[in-house]
Amino acid sequence: DDAREQGHALARYQGGGEERQATLHFEAALADALNQGEFDLHYQPITDAASGLVRGAEALLRWHNPELGFRSPAEFIPVLERTGLIVPVGAWVLHEACRRASTWGGVPVAVNLSARQFQQGDLLGTVRSALQGSGLPPECLKLEITESLMIQSPERVQEILLGLRQMGVQVMLDDFGTGYSNLSLLRNIPVSGLKIDRSFVTALERGENASAQAMIRAIVQLSEALGLDTVAEGVEHAEEHQLLRDLGVTLLQGYHFAPPSATWNPEPHCPSGVVA
Ligand code: C2E
Ligand code: CA
Ligand code: CA
Ligand code: CA
């Protein structure tokens, strides 16, 4: 009868509900994280392959919740994106990263952007106020976007990218070589560099060495022809550093140089011949 059927339905709901409960708890905690001050940025240096000098640092978002502990961006960024929370959180990231980099004496900071930030809110206004509020020169801010951004409303995205360029902010294409890499994209969107996806660097280590090298070489040639920088990410070993440098990659990033860290700062620059 009805009551029994309702009982079964409730049991089914509760049976499958534990995981659902955990998900709800996770999402509720995440929704409150910005107000609770639970986000933090870690910085990972980007190093000149030839000279070993620091040429920038990427800001990477971290979340620590007292109950849930440290959670990986791979877990919480997709939730922030799905719920739209990435718009206010991303604005916080921009302000915080610019504030921090304004103490770095000209070393640029790279900030990751999600597609949502192009679709909702006022990205150009947010970037402008992050720069003005911190006093960071626009050329010291680099924004990292991925190719998948162009799937939805490419005209709107293109307009915003042009606005950023007019402001003097540079844009890098992240995770290049995965997903939707298509060459006409590079003609149509104004980017100043390509970040070669970590999977190519990882492949150098494995049996796929020859094809990985061929692909990295091709990306470098393309970049040189277009006057773009290349950054290889996920560099973990000295041999990879050497190989990537010999392949002509200009900038390198990875645990081999430094892991992302909350306390990272560039070495104070000491002009040669001047004793500090
Ligand atoms: P990503 O932009 O590709 O960032 C590089 C990731 O590689 C980071 O992971 C970094 O910690 C990790 N990594 C750096 N060096 C090495 C290495 O030598 N070996 C290995 N195995 N990994 C290395 P993380 O910090 O976990 O971030 C994951 C992703 O989350 C980022 O990938 C980015 O897509 C996203 N993300 C992080 N912070 C933000 C943010 O502020 N906003 C947005 N929209 N996305 C963010
Ligand atoms: Ca990135
Ligand atoms: Ca990347
Ligand atoms: Ca990635």
Side-chain angles (χ1 to χ4, degrees):
D1 58 11
D2 263 12
R4 187 142 43 121
E5 183 44 46
Q6 271 174 19
H8 285 316
L10 187 63
R12 276 198 301 275
Y13 177 75
Q14 287 170 337
E18 222 161 88
E19 204 174 305
R20 190 183 143 75
Q21 211 58 43
T23 306
L24 287 175
H25 185 57
F26 182 91
E27 292 190 8
L30 197 51
D32 219 23
L34 192 55
N35 286 331
Q36 296 297 325
E38 294 170 1
F39 288 119
D40 194 14
L41 292 180
H42 282 197
Y43 298 89
Q44 184 177 38
I46 298 169
T47 304
D48 187 294
S51 68
L53 292 173
V54 167
R55 284 291 150 77
E58 180 174 5
L60 293 157
L61 187 59
R62 296 292 178 261
W63 177 36
H64 180 257
N65 176 270
E67 275 178 61
L68 300 169
F70 287 97
R71 308 303 288 246
S72 150
E75 186 183 13
F76 69 78
I77 300 267
V79 180
L80 291 176
E81 289 175 341
R82 180 165 47 74
T83 55
L85 285 166
I86 195 68
V87 175
V89 172
W92 176 84
V93 170
L94 276 164
H95 277 91
E96 178 61 19
C98 288
R99 196 185 58 77
R100 178 68 168 266
S102 68
T103 68
W104 289 352
V107 173
V109 69
V111 172
N112 292 286
L113 294 180
S114 295
R116 275 273 188 145
Q117 292 171 273
F118 284 78
Q119 291 151 5
Q120 284 168 21
D122 172 19
L123 183 57
L124 288 176
T126 303
V127 169
R128 201 175 290 114
S129 86
L131 290 172
Q132 280 169 358
S134 61
L136 188 72
E139 62 271 21
C140 288
L141 176 63
K142 301 194 180 205
L143 300 175
E144 298 191 359
I145 61 168
T146 59
E147 295 150 301
S148 59
L149 183 65
M150 301 305 286
I151 298 172
Q152 276 179 2
S153 47
E155 295 84 10
R156 183 174 161 83
V157 170
Q158 199 149 348
E159 198 180 299
I160 295 175
L161 291 175
L162 283 171
L164 290 169
R165 165 176 276 192
Q166 274 159 13
M167 238 186 261
V169 172
Q170 293 187 357
V171 174
M172 307 285 290
L173 208 46
D174 205 355
D175 301 345
F176 189 75
T178 63
Y180 301 86
S181 299
N182 102 40
L183 296 180
S184 68
L185 200 75
L186 286 179
R187 272 198 332 215
N188 294 328
I189 66 173
V191 297
S192 67
L194 305 178
K195 292 193 86 171
I196 302 171
D197 191 67
R198 181 159 66 83
S199 58
F200 291 94
V201 177
T202 312
L204 288 179
E205 282 288 286
R206 299 198 302 254
E208 310 148 47
N209 193 316
S211 59
Q213 282 198 37
M215 284 187 276
I216 293 171
R217 204 175 279 119
I219 296 174
V220 167
Q221 280 174 359
L222 176 69
S223 304
E224 284 173 353
L226 297 172
L228 306 177
D229 277 332
T230 42
V231 186
E233 50 184 19
V235 181
E236 296 183 356
H237 308 289
E239 310 82 72
E240 292 167 347
H241 175 174
Q242 277 175 22
L243 190 53
L244 290 161
R245 184 196 54 207
D246 295 345
L247 288 170
V249 178
T250 48
L251 299 168
L252 306 175
Q253 182 181 356
Y255 300 157
H256 171 59
F257 301 95
S261 136
T263 55
W264 185 84
N265 278 301
E267 300 274 312
H269 178 65
C270 178
S272 56
V274 177
V275 180

